[in-house]
Amino acid sequence: MNCFQRLLLVLIFAFTACSASNLTHIQTAEAMIDAGHEDVQSRQSDRVEQNPLDTDSRHSPDRQTEHSGQEGHGSPHPDLGSILPLWSCVPFAGMLLSIALFPLLAGEFWHHHFGKVSFFWAAVLGIPFVIAFQGAALYEILHILLADYVPFIILLWSLYTVSGGILIQGSLRGTPIVNTVMLLIGTIFASWMGTTGAAMLMIRPFLRANDYRKNKTFMVVFFIFLVANVGGSLTPLGDPPLFLGFLHGVSFFWTTFNILPHMGLVVIILLGIYYVLDTYHYRREGGQAPVEDGVKEPLRIEGLYNFLFLGGIVGSVLMSGIADWGQVNTLGVHRAVQDWVRDGLMILMGLLSLKATPVKLREDNDFTWFPIIEVAYLFIGIFITMIPCLLLLKAGSQGSLAFLMNTVKEPYHYFWITGILSAFLDNAPTYLTFFNSAVGSFCPGCPEAKAVSLLMNEETIFLQAISTGAVFFGACSYIGNAPNFMVRSIAEEAGTPMPSFFGYIIKYSLVILIPVFLIVTLVFF
């Protein structure tokens, strides 16, 4: 049995087992933040959802929608966030350090055993956690696996599979202007098909157009900045936190009109920096693209029918955010039936793409299963070790992070704290934490619909700060958003050297992104 068959069996088995699992980001957020808070549960039931279009995810929380007269199904267990010490996040730090250091210090070992390292850190957290807190800990682990991790992998697998069947051919050469235009197109796509969908669709043509270039690392980094993160700012389809806000009453086009200036400024600055860097390296490399052998071929797209499957994935996301078909209970984790249907539709879209797309086309597209397998193995460790961090975040002023939560008062506080936490944790629960904080601050005791309307229309700057922080800062690390890691893996497999975990942060995020975010702060917050 080959790697793909094993992965597909895991997907199908997990999908069957968890029935109505939700997509990663939006699921964990709501269940973890709302559990134990009766004032929130009285407004919402436990229907949870992630924006599968990005996920980046990265990561995925429980979404709860309102059901009149229906009691929410929050966790029946105590609020562990108010009990856990700060050092319970040590396994998560160990997982991040492993991703950062093993490829540098023991590359051969890491290449063959990264899955074992991931499971090791998951066990380091999981075993003592269950021994200490028993049923409550088991619930949290089952919840993040069934409601978050499995849908997260289903999403990435379906998008990766479908986009891998779309091949752009022709005489396309990556000059500075061509590359800048491709980044701009991908950035625009990201808000309407999700950052994960746009990144998986655009990365292979982008790499192929620049296969003759010597210095390609910075190109992929800027691709992660723009297409895999900042580009998802304009609609709820773009990034999981915005989809979560949409489910809580933020109008669909609120982000389009209210985040456009922030996104526009960041995109203009980043594209300007990119163009200067690309022009510099292009001239050093000779300043001319190699002449094509034979007749110059016009651009053409093969596998166009895969756009139908891509549309099916997008449509299933919208369906699961609108429909309300009740819930099912799997091992104590409540999932909405429409989320079960959504996940099934995404698997179906992937299988149809595999059936319809010739093997030769995927081979010509340099398609392999290794990137998705790597992400599946590593993120199970990330998700499990992240549990204490998310619980502490949910606990707010009652937990060990109270010193941080109590300092958030001004718009720029919301922007930076939401952003920094989103760079390393799940951006959806981070968004929802500070979204609820702002709602409670400006309209305490109000019905949610009234409070959200007030936040959108009168305290707009706070919602802008929370939204932009959650989306923009996902670009600051490889685990800040799901497509980041996928893009890195695809680029490395194509022969493009990528910086280490800390190398990415130190050389690119701190040098380029943080100054850009400081400009955003000065201009808008």
Side-chain angles (χ1 to χ4, degrees):
M1 182 179 292
N2 60 33
C3 290
F4 164 68
Q5 290 171 327
R6 289 198 297 268
L7 179 63
L8 184 58
L9 285 176
V10 169
L11 286 171
I12 295 173
F13 173 77
F15 169 72
T16 304
C18 71
S19 307
S21 40
N22 290 347
L23 275 173
T24 310
H25 291 289
I26 301 169
Q27 299 171 318
T28 304
E30 294 246 348
M32 288 186 172
I33 292 173
D34 292 346
H37 296 276
E38 295 181 358
D39 57 321
V40 178
Q41 288 181 341
S42 64
R43 298 194 305 266
Q44 304 167 328
S45 77
D46 245 13
R47 179 175 139 218
V48 192
E49 157 80 5
Q50 168 191 352
N51 177 5
L53 292 182
D54 193 39
T55 159
D56 287 250
S57 225
R58 124 161 219 317
H59 321 320
S60 164
D62 265 34
R63 148 186 129 234
Q64 307 189 1
T65 35
E66 297 179 13
H67 296 276
S68 58
Q70 183 177 0
E71 186 176 345
H73 298 282
S75 166
H77 305 288
D79 180 11
L80 297 182
S82 61
I83 304 172
L84 290 171
L86 195 56
W87 54 260
S88 62
C89 297
V90 167
F92 180 63
M95 184 68 205
L96 298 188
L97 287 173
S98 297
I99 294 173
L101 299 180
F102 267 117
L104 296 177
L105 304 179
E108 188 69 18
F109 171 84
W110 177 254
H111 181 74
H112 291 96
H113 301 288
F114 59 83
K116 298 182 181 71
V117 174
S118 178
F119 283 104
F120 166 78
W121 285 115
V124 166
L125 182 280
I127 295 173
F129 192 42
V130 171
I131 292 174
F133 298 105
Q134 300 178 357
L138 183 61
Y139 171 83
E140 298 295 347
I141 293 173
L142 286 173
H143 183 276
I144 207 162
L145 289 177
L146 298 182
D148 303 339
Y149 174 75
V150 170
F152 169 79
I153 292 302
I154 290 175
L155 163 69
L156 288 187
W157 176 83
S158 62
L159 288 171
Y160 181 77
T161 302
V162 171
S163 63
I166 300 172
L167 175 62
I168 299 177
Q169 289 190 322
S171 302
L172 180 65
R173 285 302 181 185
T175 63
I177 187 64
V178 169
N179 290 337
T180 302
V181 171
M182 290 184 74
L183 288 175
L184 178 60
I185 291 172
T187 301
I188 294 171
F189 280 177
S191 279
W192 303 96
M193 61 188 298
T195 53
T196 299
M200 294 303 97
L201 177 65
M202 295 293 295
I203 185 58
R204 289 188 183 88
F206 187 71
L207 291 172
R208 196 175 296 114
N210 291 281
D211 58 5
Y212 75 98
R213 298 287 297 272
K214 296 178 181 177
N215 299 286
K216 296 179 283 189
T217 301
F218 76 94
M219 300 179 185
V220 180
V221 170
F222 274 85
F223 185 97
I224 292 174
F225 287 173
L226 288 160
V227 182
N229 288 278
V230 176
S233 304
L234 295 185
T235 74
L237 296 177
D239 215 37
L242 304 184
F243 192 73
L244 186 57
F246 170 66
L247 295 174
H248 277 267
V250 179
S251 60
F252 189 92
F253 289 106
W254 183 92
T255 50
T256 306
F257 297 108
N258 288 277
I259 306 300
L260 180 60
H262 309 69
M263 174 184 161
L265 177 62
V266 173
V267 169
I268 289 171
I269 295 174
L270 290 179
L271 283 179
I273 295 172
Y274 173 81
Y275 183 78
V276 170
L277 286 175
D278 200 1
T279 301
Y280 169 76
H281 287 292
Y282 185 68
R283 289 174 177 172
R284 286 193 64 187
E285 295 167 8
Q288 186 174 1
V291 179
E292 293 283 347
D293 295 332
V295 181
K296 185 176 181 179
E297 296 183 10
L299 290 179
R300 67 183 188 277
I301 301 177
E302 296 186 25
L304 279 170
Y305 44 81
N306 279 288
F307 281 104
L308 295 176
F309 305 136
L310 196 59
I313 295 173
V314 175
S316 68
V317 177
L318 292 176
M319 175 276 297
S320 64
I322 297 172
D324 179 11
W325 298 335
Q327 299 180 343
V328 295
N329 183 330
T330 304
L331 300 179
V333 179
H334 288 81
R335 297 271 63 81
V337 173
Q338 62 273 13
D339 297 332
W340 180 13
V341 174
R342 177 207 59 219
D343 293 344
L345 287 173
M346 288 195 293
I347 291 177
L348 178 61
M349 294 300 105
L351 293 176
L352 289 175
S353 174
L354 287 173
K355 180 68 175 177
T357 306
V359 174
K360 180 65 166 55
L361 188 152
R362 292 188 182 273
E363 290 176 350
D364 292 342
N365 210 11
D366 301 320
F367 181 89
T368 71
W369 293 108
F370 178 78
I372 187 66
I373 291 172
E374 181 183 30
V375 168
Y377 283 165
L378 291 181
F379 270 82
I380 193 170
I382 291 172
F383 271 77
I384 292 178
T385 56
M386 189 171 60
I387 290 173
C389 307
L390 295 177
L391 290 173
L392 290 175
L393 186 62
K394 180 211 90 171
S397 60
Q398 304 301 314
S400 298
L401 289 177
F403 68 93
L404 179 66
M405 303 295 292
N406 292 334
T407 62
V408 181
K409 301 183 185 300
E410 302 296 331
Y412 69 91
H413 294 161
Y414 281 93
F415 177 69
W416 282 93
I417 298 300
T418 303
I420 291 171
L421 291 175
S422 294
F424 297 98
L425 298 176
D426 193 327
N427 60 355
T430 302
Y431 170 94
L432 190 58
T433 295
F434 293 104
F435 178 88
N436 284 339
S437 173
V439 166
S441 298
F442 297 117
C443 196
C446 294
E448 185 178 57
K450 179 180 178 182
V452 173
S453 177
L454 176 68
L455 195 61
M456 284 193 299
N457 299 308
E458 298 183 24
E459 303 293 346
T460 306
I461 190 171
F462 288 90
L463 187 54
Q464 289 172 330
I466 296 167
S467 301
T468 53
V471 175
F472 291 174
F473 279 78
C476 287
S477 77
Y478 283 136
I479 66 167
N481 207 10
N484 301 3
F485 213 98
M486 292 287 291
V487 169
R488 190 211 72 164
S489 185
I490 292 171
E492 286 184 331
E493 192 175 44
T496 301
M498 293 298 293
S500 66
F501 184 85
F502 287 127
Y504 176 94
I505 295 172
I506 295 170
K507 188 175 180 180
Y508 293 99
S509 296
L510 293 180
V511 173
I512 298 173
L513 285 180
I514 297 304
V516 172
F517 296 156
L518 284 172
I519 294 174
V520 171
T521 304
L522 293 174
V523 173
F524 296 107
F525 305 124

